[in-house]
Amino acid sequence: MSWQLFQQDALIWLRDQSAEQFDALVTDPPYSSGGLHVGTRTADSANAKYLSNPTKYPEFSGENRDQYSYLLWSTLWLTEAHRVLKPGSPFLVFIDWRQLSVMINAVQAAGFTYRGCVPWDKTEACRPSKGRFRQQAEFILWGSKGAWHDKEGPTYPGVIRCGVMAGGPKLHTTGKPMPLMDALVQVCPKGTILDPFAGSGTTGVAALRSGRRFVGCEREEAYYEIASERLSRTGSG
Ligand SMILES: C[S@@+](CC[C@H](N)C(=O)[O-])C[C@H]1O[C@@H](n2cnc3c(N)ncnc32)[C@H](O)[C@@H]1O
């Protein structure tokens, strides 16, 4: 079986999984940072926060924690993710500039060895910010459960430049471009990649396209259906 997808809360689902079965964690959790104030933080994900999206996407939840709660929650799910990974497995976790320090703390609190941070340069296509710096980057934290698995492979780029819409239209408000995910999964062992926040399934499609297997979890039914359909088209279930 090349992929499996579950529709459940990630923390509950992870707690049910047996230890040391996956070969990599590649995930893009909700950032809980779409707004700086309570009003915007608690607004609908698709309609009020990500204003630069002209497309209407299904809503998704998990975006309404303040920073302290986000640190606690992230530490909880990352601790479970750490448990279900085999020793030596790499992790790649997306985050934005607001929650960068929180997530760096959370991965280490969960037991991972934090090894670096790859800026994803979204290019000048991001909306302008007159008189200020353009918010043009998100970040991929990386590291491992213990020793890094690969001492012989190629050197991968430390910055990835890739437009948000590269590879075709997004299927999720915060969907990641296919070429970005294709590049990221290359660093993973040829085994099973875990994504507890699968969204529209981009990590899974990249895993399958690269000859790896995929196990994911997504809480929202609309995205579970979109991801299932994409994964079915890409590889056998
Ligand atoms: C940032 S999006 C992932 C987008 C994905 N990378 C893509 O390219 O489509 C995060 C996803 O996590 C889901 N989510 C939020 N909280 C969750 C939870 N507690 N358990 C499982 N999924 C959750 C949301 O519904 C959302 O689809």
Side-chain angles (χ1 to χ4, degrees):
M1 187 139 65
S2 60
W3 64 272
Q4 282 181 289
L5 188 66
F6 299 87
Q7 192 202 339
Q8 210 176 332
D9 180 274
L11 184 55
I12 294 168
W13 178 81
L14 280 166
R15 282 177 173 156
D16 280 346
Q17 305 310 303
S18 51
E20 299 190 0
Q21 54 167 314
F22 302 110
D23 298 280
L25 170 71
V26 179
T27 195
D28 174 25
Y31 295 171
S32 273
S33 65
L36 291 175
H37 309 291
V38 170
T40 43
R41 234 179 17 236
T42 54
D44 289 345
S45 61
N47 297 330
K49 287 199 216 168
Y50 302 102
L51 292 172
S52 56
N53 283 328
T55 316
K56 266 275 194 183
Y57 297 97
E59 296 292 341
F60 64 94
S61 55
E63 287 278 334
N64 54 0
R65 293 175 175 89
D66 67 16
Q67 222 168 29
Y68 187 64
S69 312
Y70 188 69
L71 172 64
L72 293 176
W73 175 73
S74 299
T75 303
L76 288 174
W77 72 257
L78 280 160
T79 300
E80 289 301 318
H82 182 274
R83 184 182 62 79
V84 302
L85 290 174
K86 294 175 188 165
S89 298
F91 75 83
L92 305 180
V93 177
F94 279 85
I95 200 64
D96 72 353
W97 63 275
R98 295 185 189 90
Q99 301 283 34
L100 182 58
S101 62
V102 174
M103 193 57 91
I104 290 171
N105 284 313
V107 293
Q108 293 177 97
F112 287 107
T113 303
Y114 172 54
R115 296 179 183 275
C117 173
V118 177
W120 166 32
D121 171 359
K122 299 192 279 187
T123 80
E124 294 71 24
C126 295
R127 70 183 142 168
S129 195
K130 288 187 178 172
R132 307 179 189 197
F133 296 102
R134 196 190 297 269
Q135 294 294 358
Q136 192 174 326
E138 291 181 33
F139 304 94
I140 300 119
L141 307 189
W142 66 278
S144 52
K145 176 174 176 173
W148 186 256
H149 67 287
D150 185 5
K151 292 195 172 63
E152 306 295 329
T155 301
Y156 299 95
V159 177
I160 303 180
R161 184 171 163 86
C162 179
V164 172
M165 293 298 184
K170 291 193 298 180
L171 300 168
H172 189 293
T173 320
T174 63
K176 299 298 174 279
M178 216 49 250
L180 171 67
M181 299 312 298
D182 284 337
L184 290 178
V185 299
Q186 294 306 318
V187 83
C188 300
K190 287 268 184 184
T192 304
I193 295 179
L194 167 68
D195 182 355
F197 303 98
S200 63
T202 321
T203 305
V205 173
L208 299 183
R209 280 160 44 139
S210 70
R212 293 165 174 83
R213 293 185 299 279
F214 176 70
V215 174
C217 182
E218 165 58 45
R219 189 165 64 180
E220 301 297 329
E221 186 177 0
Y223 288 119
Y224 170 81
E225 298 296 343
I226 290 169
S228 299
E229 203 270 323
R230 276 180 98 187
L231 291 162
S232 303
R233 271 192 279 121
T234 311
S236 56

